[in-house]
Amino acid sequence: MSQAEVRKGRYKMGRLEKKNTLIAYSFLAPNFIGFAVFTLIPVICAVALSLFEWGGGDISRLKFVGLDNYATIFAAKKVAEKGIGYFFGRADLGIALKNTAFYTVVTVPLTIVCALALAMLLNKIRGAVFFRTVFFFPYVSSMVAICVCWSFMLMRNGPVNQFIMALGIDFNKGWTADSTMAIWSIILVSVWRNMGYYMVLYLAALQGIPRELTEAATVDGANKWQQFLHVTLPQLKPTTFFVSVMMVISCFKIYDVVAIMTEGGPGRATKMLVTYIYDEAFVKNRYGQASAISMVLLVIVLAITIIQFSSEKKFSND
Amino acid sequence: METSVHGREIRKDNPVLRRILRVIIWILLIALAVFTLIPFFWMISSSLKLDREVFAFPMRWIPETYHWENYSLIWERVPLLTYFKNTAFIAVMVTLLQTLTSSFAAYAFAKLNFRGRDVLFLCYIGTIAVPWQAYMLPQFIMMRSMGLYDTLWAMVVLQAFSAFGVFLMRQFYRSIPTELCEAARLDGLSEYGIWARIMLPLSKAAIATLVIFTFVNTWNDYMGPMIYLTRDMNKTIQVGLRRFIQQYSSDYHLIMAASLCSLVPVSVVFLCLQRYFIEGIATSGLKG
């Protein structure tokens, strides 16, 4: 083979490769252009915006302020004066973080217990499809409708309080208007709405447990509870880990329920990270500061994601 | 020896025990199902009452007289029909664009070799990890300067090109054997032909999952329309309903009737396609 022919061959390969790449790009283009403009660029700009100040109006009004936004949201001056207690006790961000963390810490285990219990009950029973649909239904029904329904039901003279009174407990406060109960009403609605979703994940995982394992336990004389504790639960570990990570992330992003049921109140009792972002940006027109808060959210979510990735191996191997 | 005795014992009294256990589980499940559905029962019952009856003591689950006129009243009080139309427009456009473009792009990611594939795919995956609330502000500023603020198209373009769709479809396409594509290539089918004639028909289940995911999510989306849609003529059912609630805050019966109406379309879609939805979640484990 002469050198010219080899070169020609190479040239041909190059052209073919080029053609293939072009075809591939033509497949990607419709989605990628939209994705780049509306997602990728904003993601890249997100950090930058937190260093600017913008009160609406023209884009040219963006003003570089460095780390000022962060100093404001972390209440740097006051914290330096009065200590870290001020941040968690008084500063908006501290309170939003505290509320969000409390909500997460309560909601995640509660939802997991409910979802797992439902899945265990539904596993290998007739009529499972019907019940599965019922338990899943709250998850697809629209937020505004179910939140307003719940907030009516939780009113001072609503059906929930009537039920509680019928049990002989003296309780006649409106849940969403009471500063200690408000966050619990949000937790209640969240657990009720999401348990069906995670139940589906658990059901899938339960079906993946090899039958021999439970049978062997039965032969060894283990009762149902022991079986659950020593066979089923360890087998579900990867799912539980995955579910909790997903749920923690979605808990930190909570907005809808709060916005519809309590609007962050009463006072700041249910102020969450995202409701805080919304208020700063779209009510008070402080976009730079709101961006700085959303960076706090980003750091939290990314940290959780990184923890997930680094421990995924450990959990899926046993 | 002992274990086998145990085994026999267990097997012997199993039928009776099992039946009792099954009955208990059934009773428990029915009780839990009723608990889960109570808010919906209450919504229906309240929507057929008069406003002063809603919080009457003791409460009645079945209204004394059925006030069906509540359901005609709400259409006069609020432009519900406009809200419905807007939401349907956004949901249908997003679903269409999303399914089409993401299955197209997913084909390239799953079955074609080209330079920069892994980097591009990493971009997609990376943004899934970034919460929307973290970049919604730059996005908002950008959309405003593009003149898309307070238009329905803002909601469409915002959601139509999500990385989630591409990821879901790519995972599915990867499970289709590459030999199929190669055989088709030898038969002279172009890449577009392979996508249209082989990949699309084979991925019906994945597409159904994506369609219902996208539809339910756009229909129920609250924060997006809340930020972008301000004029009444542009509102979706969710934010429109919210406005109605704030305006007529003590017309409990009407609010419940309107809320119930907002649930109908998505419930119908869900009940028809629920198999795909639930199985899609179980296999992908991803939240839309």
Side-chain angles (χ1 to χ4, degrees):
Chain A
M1 215 187 280
S2 75
Q3 250 188 331
E5 264 174 322
V6 171
R7 221 177 283 142
K8 207 174 155 196
R10 236 187 237 155
Y11 175 60
K12 247 188 187 164
M13 273 288 286
R15 216 170 56 174
L16 195 69
E17 212 172 62
K18 223 179 194 174
K19 196 184 151 212
N20 278 341
T21 306
L22 273 181
I23 288 177
Y25 285 161
S26 75
F27 270 100
L28 284 175
N31 192 279
F32 186 75
I33 294 171
F35 169 74
V37 173
F38 299 110
T39 305
L40 202 55
I41 295 174
V43 167
I44 294 165
C45 295
V47 185
L49 184 62
S50 69
L51 305 176
F52 285 85
E53 207 178 274
W54 191 67
D58 219 286
I59 252 191
S60 57
R61 294 232 185 129
L62 279 168
K63 206 179 98 198
F64 185 78
V65 292
L67 292 173
D68 279 8
N69 289 326
Y70 291 95
T72 316
I73 59 166
F74 283 102
K77 258 188 206 153
K78 291 266 187 172
V79 169
E81 240 173 66
K82 298 179 179 165
I84 194 75
Y86 179 86
F87 177 68
F88 286 107
R90 289 293 194 79
D92 279 335
L93 181 64
I95 287 183
L97 276 173
K98 231 168 54 182
N99 288 339
T100 314
F102 178 77
Y103 164 79
T104 307
V105 166
V106 178
T107 306
V108 173
L110 260 181
T111 314
I112 287 185
V113 169
C114 291
L116 182 57
L118 287 180
M120 288 300 292
L121 286 175
L122 279 189
N123 195 25
K124 289 171 196 156
I125 199 143
R126 254 200 282 161
V129 175
F130 169 76
F131 285 114
R132 194 182 68 178
T133 313
V134 169
F135 295 132
F136 195 80
F137 191 66
Y139 184 76
V140 287
S141 38
S142 44
M143 264 312 190
V144 180
I146 58 168
C147 287
V148 73
C149 179
W150 270 108
S151 57
F152 284 175
M153 285 175 54
L154 293 169
M155 274 187 173
R156 199 171 57 80
N157 44 1
V160 174
N161 278 2
Q162 286 193 21
F163 177 73
I164 293 175
M165 298 279 265
L167 291 178
I169 303 163
D170 190 36
F171 185 85
N172 61 351
K173 283 190 247 176
W175 287 50
T176 51
D178 182 78
S179 52
T180 42
M181 293 313 280
I183 201 161
W184 288 98
S185 61
I186 286 159
I187 292 168
L188 171 71
V189 175
S190 302
V191 173
W192 170 80
R193 184 171 196 257
N194 290 322
M195 62 184 188
Y197 179 86
Y198 295 103
M199 171 200 75
V200 169
L201 292 182
Y202 270 121
L203 265 176
L206 280 174
Q207 255 127 48
I209 296 177
R211 190 167 252 211
E212 298 81 55
L213 280 180
T214 40
E215 265 167 17
T218 316
V219 171
D220 283 347
N223 63 29
K224 288 269 176 199
W225 177 246
Q226 286 168 326
Q227 231 181 72
F228 172 73
L229 224 55
H230 299 294
V231 180
T232 315
L233 222 47
Q235 286 285 315
L236 290 177
K237 220 160 132 194
T239 312
T240 306
F241 178 68
F242 176 69
V243 161
S244 11
V245 169
M246 254 171 67
M247 224 186 307
V248 169
I249 290 178
S250 76
C251 277
F252 266 93
K253 297 192 287 193
I254 185 178
Y255 172 78
D256 300 12
V257 188
V258 181
I260 300 162
M261 287 183 72
T262 65
E263 295 183 65
R268 292 186 285 183
T270 52
K271 196 182 187 95
M272 303 285 175
L273 266 182
V274 178
T275 46
Y276 184 29
I277 298 174
Y278 183 90
D279 285 346
E280 285 301 313
F282 302 109
V283 179
K284 296 178 182 156
N285 280 324
R286 294 195 283 236
Y287 290 87
Q289 228 184 86
S291 264
I293 307 162
S294 65
M295 285 306 106
V296 175
L297 175 72
L298 179 67
V299 167
I300 293 170
V301 169
L302 286 187
I304 298 165
T305 311
I306 289 167
I307 293 171
Q308 178 198 10
F309 269 110
S310 56
S311 43
E312 202 159 51
K313 249 193 205 144
K314 199 176 86 197
F315 275 95
S316 51
N317 272 358
D318 52 29
Chain B
M1 195 54 198
E2 245 185 52
T3 47
S4 74
V5 169
H6 264 293
R8 219 174 289 147
E9 257 174 23
I10 285 161
R11 230 161 270 156
K12 219 191 263 169
D13 51 15
N14 251 355
V16 184
L17 245 170
R18 222 184 239 172
R19 196 164 288 172
I20 294 171
L21 196 73
R22 198 157 280 180
V23 171
I24 292 173
I25 289 179
W26 262 83
I27 292 170
L28 212 63
L29 276 173
I30 291 171
L32 286 168
V34 170
F35 168 75
T36 309
L37 294 179
I38 272 182
F40 299 105
F41 296 142
W42 196 77
M43 207 186 279
I44 297 171
S45 131
S46 307
S47 73
L48 294 169
K49 289 176 180 173
L50 291 174
D51 56 345
R52 60 188 149 77
E53 288 176 330
V54 172
F55 289 110
F57 184 87
M59 75 156 296
R60 286 168 154 274
W61 282 100
I62 296 164
E64 240 165 307
T65 41
Y66 294 98
H67 295 276
W68 293 105
E69 74 274 7
N70 290 348
Y71 280 91
S72 55
L73 258 174
I74 49 169
W75 299 87
E76 291 159 20
R77 291 272 184 95
V78 270
L80 267 190
L81 199 65
T82 316
Y83 299 157
F84 266 113
K85 270 191 213 149
N86 291 339
T87 322
F89 172 79
I90 295 171
V92 169
M93 287 310 284
V94 170
T95 310
L96 261 177
L97 275 173
Q98 160 95 301
T99 324
L100 211 73
T101 63
S102 62
S103 83
F104 218 51
Y107 176 68
F109 279 129
K111 295 293 176 205
L112 299 177
N113 281 314
F114 59 92
R115 220 192 290 161
R117 182 178 73 174
D118 296 340
V119 176
L120 274 180
F121 192 63
L122 208 68
C123 285
Y124 275 87
I125 295 291
T127 58
I128 292 183
V130 180
W132 175 66
Q133 288 86 350
Y135 63 87
M136 67 180 181
L137 296 174
Q139 197 181 41
F140 175 79
I141 294 172
M142 214 181 70
M143 299 277 274
R144 242 175 86 145
S145 59
M146 287 165 103
L148 283 166
Y149 178 65
D150 204 11
T151 63
L152 292 182
W153 281 104
M155 292 321 300
V156 174
V157 294
L158 219 62
Q159 297 167 85
F161 308 104
S162 80
F164 167 73
V166 177
F167 179 73
L168 187 81
M169 293 305 290
R170 175 202 177 248
Q171 293 309 89
F172 189 82
Y173 282 166
R174 274 167 70 96
S175 69
I176 297 175
T178 312
E179 290 80 38
L180 267 179
C181 306
E182 271 159 16
R185 240 167 254 156
L186 286 179
D187 285 345
L189 220 56
S190 70
E191 297 296 334
Y192 307 104
I194 297 174
W195 173 79
R197 301 235 194 115
I198 296 175
M199 300 308 259
L200 266 193
L202 280 177
S203 57
K204 272 185 200 137
I207 289 176
T209 305
L210 184 60
V211 165
I212 182 171
F213 252 111
T214 316
F215 187 81
V216 171
N217 279 338
T218 22
W219 189 275
N220 290 342
D221 187 19
Y222 178 72
M223 200 174 181
M226 187 77 186
I227 293 171
Y228 280 98
L229 307 174
T230 50
R231 271 177 302 174
D232 214 30
M233 54 172 279
N234 279 337
K235 284 201 162 113
T236 64
I237 185 71
Q238 304 302 332
V239 283
L241 189 62
R242 174 86 176 128
R243 193 194 74 117
F244 176 57
I245 292 164
Q246 282 166 335
Q247 250 176 5
Y248 299 91
S249 57
S250 56
D251 288 337
Y252 306 112
H253 56 314
L254 296 184
I255 291 174
M256 287 296 99
S259 299
L260 209 66
C261 287
S262 81
L263 286 179
V264 170
V266 91
S267 312
V268 171
V269 172
F270 168 67
L271 291 177
C272 294
L273 293 170
Q274 59 117 345
R275 196 168 65 91
Y276 294 108
F277 198 58
I278 288 177
E279 276 163 20
I281 291 168
T283 47
S284 73
L286 265 166
K287 220 172 168 145

